[in-house]
Amino acid sequence: MNYRGLASIAVLSTAVLGATVVLFDVIKLNHTDNEPTFSMAPLSLGNPASAATLRTRNLAGNLVVDEEDAPLLPAITIPEPIVKTVHVKSGATLSGLLTGAGIERVEAARIVTTFSEAFNPRKIRAGQNLDLFFMPSDDDSPDQFVGLAYEPTVLRTVRVKRIDDGFSAWEEEKVLTTERYEAHGRIDDSLYMAGVRANLPVPVLIELIRAYSWDVDFQRSIRKGDGFAVLYEAQHDESGEILAYGDILFAELELSGDKLPIYQFKTGEDLVDYFDDKGRSAKKTLMRTPIDGARLSSGFGNRKHPVLGYNKMHKGVDFAAARGTPIYAAGDGAIDYAGWQGGYGKYVRIRHNGEYKTAYAHMKSIASGMKTGKRVRQGQVIGYVGTTGRSTGPHLHYEILKNGRQVNPMKVKMPSGQKLKGEDLERFLAVAGQLDKLYAEISGDTTVAQIEP
Ligand SMILES: [Zn+2]
């Protein structure tokens, strides 16, 4: 909850018969036209306020004073309500929280009863906060409880306020509006830092990096001078406070002069994915069989090791093939390791993104140029079948590593790597065209290339 509105307190005092001072204040909590104004009855010092001392209120609840009376009304400052934020611990009750904050037991019981009219107090959850408002007293008596606010969810607020003869409670629901925003910038060090500098919210930034993770090796492919642009959604309430970030609708990375746009597109009821300008999914699949004309000779799992003779977990799959058969990169990525690796013999490992790597063992030879950091494309030849290391005959031992652990390449669930076709592709291209336009409108730019550093 945002209590910026709380500070607006209109304080007027008037001298009546030179003796009675009436303090009248209006407290507005996030005031909007359709929500009750948090205003209080006059607090009087000395004689109670007579009708004559009260001036007209305008629609916002503020006191309206006739011009000629104004000089009689020297403004004085009284303290604003104090907000006590109470953290709800597990097992806590509303009455316990109220008495714990210094409210008398009888009054706390009345507050609980009133609160229950709007919200079941037993549904107040541990870990949440309760804001209690008190008017500071100007003598030794305890501060007066004037209201509370509790948010069961970011979209709902339950409020209690003191009224003349007790309390009243109600629930407010926020109306969220979705707005579109854009951010763009040049990359000096990392996309993350550039995004933060361009005020791209962190959840959107993480989504951006995730969306590109199959295509871009963020540790190695980013160079100084590269650029990015993002069009994203955010939901805000009536006060303009952003409560949630929605999807990225469009993004573009410019890496070493190459532009990589992606567009959000719904391929089914709840299936939202990102596609490039040709309708290819931004998520790529890995080849389960990165070799042609080979026969699966040994599956994944426990087996009697052909060389060692005892039962051993087989952490990959073996493809028997003629010596010298080319081995392909199972997906786009960068060489993570290329060289001799113990029992694996001549070995290449490719890092595809933050989640997946693939490894290829027992090669006769590693293809030329395959060195750590080298970018490879799916299907590119990385080496040739051999029987180096602990091996009984020419074969490819192939592993897929998910978060550093070998998984069964034949069974692991992977993105489809789909390419949109036919009607889907037509529909996608129309959506992408609209998103391009929308981005140009919002940013005032048409391409990343035009963006000034
Ligand atoms: Zn093997």
Side-chain angles (χ1 to χ4, degrees):
M1 190 76 232
N2 167 2
Y3 285 102
R4 277 173 294 194
L6 192 61
S8 64
I9 301 181
V11 179
L12 290 167
S13 75
T14 180
V16 178
L17 302 172
T20 309
V21 176
V22 176
L23 296 180
F24 194 96
D25 64 77
V26 178
I27 299 163
K28 292 192 291 173
L29 276 181
N30 265 353
H31 178 78
T32 59
D33 289 341
N34 60 357
E35 85 187 28
T37 298
F38 194 104
S39 58
M40 299 194 330
L43 295 175
S44 51
L45 301 175
N47 294 330
S50 70
T53 64
L54 296 179
R55 301 302 199 278
T56 323
R57 281 163 181 253
N58 66 15
L59 285 175
N62 293 316
L63 204 60
V64 176
V65 182
D66 296 334
E67 286 252 322
E68 59 269 29
D69 288 346
L72 298 172
L73 304 169
I76 63 157
T77 307
I78 61 160
E80 295 176 11
I82 302 160
V83 186
K84 273 191 198 168
T85 300
V86 180
H87 190 69
V88 182
K89 294 206 177 97
S90 102
T93 61
L94 179 56
S95 83
L97 293 166
L98 296 172
T99 52
I103 297 168
E104 272 181 59
R105 198 175 286 273
V106 175
E107 179 146 291
R110 293 174 66 200
I111 297 165
V112 173
T113 305
T114 307
F115 185 93
S116 310
E117 291 163 13
F119 191 82
N120 182 351
R122 269 176 288 191
K123 290 191 172 159
I124 293 178
R125 278 180 295 143
Q128 293 185 310
N129 290 330
L130 208 61
D131 285 331
L132 306 178
F133 301 93
F134 293 89
M135 250 356 226
S137 83
D138 56 354
D139 53 32
D140 289 340
S141 59
D143 297 340
Q144 189 191 32
F145 170 84
V146 293
L148 71 77
Y150 168 67
E151 288 185 13
T153 68
V154 288
L155 297 181
R156 297 163 72 197
T157 308
V158 180
R159 291 187 193 283
V160 172
K161 71 161 180 174
R162 182 181 289 277
I163 51 172
D164 291 344
D165 52 351
F167 298 98
S168 108
W170 71 97
E171 187 179 325
E172 294 166 6
E173 204 157 323
K174 278 181 196 156
V175 179
L176 290 191
T177 315
T178 299
E179 289 263 14
R180 282 144 183 199
Y181 300 87
E182 75 86 30
H184 61 258
R186 285 278 160 207
I187 302 170
D188 283 332
D189 29 35
S190 68
L191 174 61
Y192 189 88
M193 290 311 296
V196 168
R197 269 198 301 276
N199 295 320
L200 190 59
V202 168
V204 179
L205 195 42
I206 288 169
E207 175 67 8
L208 177 69
I209 291 170
R210 205 198 328 262
Y212 275 103
S213 67
W214 286 93
D215 257 331
V216 178
D217 182 343
F218 284 99
Q219 288 170 11
R220 300 203 177 91
S221 307
I222 303 287
R223 293 194 169 77
K224 195 176 162 70
D226 287 345
F228 74 94
V230 191
L231 176 69
Y232 64 97
E233 289 181 330
Q235 277 97 39
H236 60 82
D237 64 14
E238 291 152 336
S239 74
E241 189 182 5
I242 289 177
L243 297 177
Y245 291 102
D247 295 316
I248 290 174
L249 300 176
F250 160 78
E252 187 168 82
L253 288 185
E254 191 194 339
L255 304 181
S256 303
D258 288 337
K259 286 181 188 172
L260 307 171
I262 53 168
Y263 301 87
Q264 189 204 59
F265 183 63
K266 285 190 173 68
T267 51
E269 188 73 2
D270 293 316
L271 294 171
V272 172
D273 214 338
Y274 297 107
F275 294 86
D276 70 9
D277 53 346
K278 307 273 188 314
R280 288 177 300 224
S281 172
K283 288 184 198 151
K284 304 295 191 295
T285 192
L286 296 173
M287 294 159 71
R288 295 180 198 273
T289 307
I291 185 169
D292 281 332
R295 165 180 68 84
L296 183 73
S297 56
S298 183
F300 186 91
N302 264 315
R303 63 160 186 185
K304 190 165 187 172
H305 194 273
V307 174
L308 302 171
Y310 53 83
N311 276 328
K312 197 170 181 287
M313 177 72 185
H314 187 224
K315 292 180 173 176
V317 289
D318 292 346
F319 297 100
R323 199 184 302 261
T325 304
I327 299 164
Y328 308 124
D332 290 2
I335 304 285
D336 194 45
Y337 181 88
W340 192 269
Q341 178 83 323
Y344 283 127
K346 285 185 184 166
Y347 169 93
V348 170
R349 193 171 57 232
I350 301 170
R351 179 185 190 276
H352 301 285
N353 60 18
E355 197 175 10
Y356 287 102
K357 289 180 181 181
T358 52
Y360 314 77
H362 311 306
M363 288 179 179
K364 170 175 166 273
S365 60
I366 293 168
S368 70
M370 295 298 147
K371 293 194 174 65
T372 302
K374 159 102 178 148
R375 290 278 304 161
V376 290
R377 308 297 298 183
Q378 187 174 58
Q380 190 173 345
V381 175
I382 54 166
Y384 305 91
V385 170
T387 185
T388 55
R390 204 178 289 135
S391 170
T392 51
H395 78 284
L396 165 67
H397 169 93
Y398 174 53
E399 293 180 0
I400 294 182
L401 296 103
K402 189 177 180 181
N403 298 319
R405 290 188 54 173
Q406 288 94 344
V407 292
N408 187 343
M410 298 300 141
K411 292 206 170 137
V412 63
K413 278 204 183 106
M414 275 184 295
S416 68
Q418 70 172 314
K419 171 152 186 0
L420 299 171
K421 291 188 203 97
E423 268 182 37
D424 278 346
L425 180 61
E426 272 175 41
R427 212 158 49 82
F428 166 76
L429 292 173
V431 168
Q434 285 164 5
L435 289 174
D436 272 339
K437 252 196 201 156
L438 186 63
Y439 178 80
E441 257 169 45
I442 293 181
S443 67
D445 279 301
T446 48
T447 62
V448 177
Q450 292 181 354
I451 293 160
E452 292 302 312

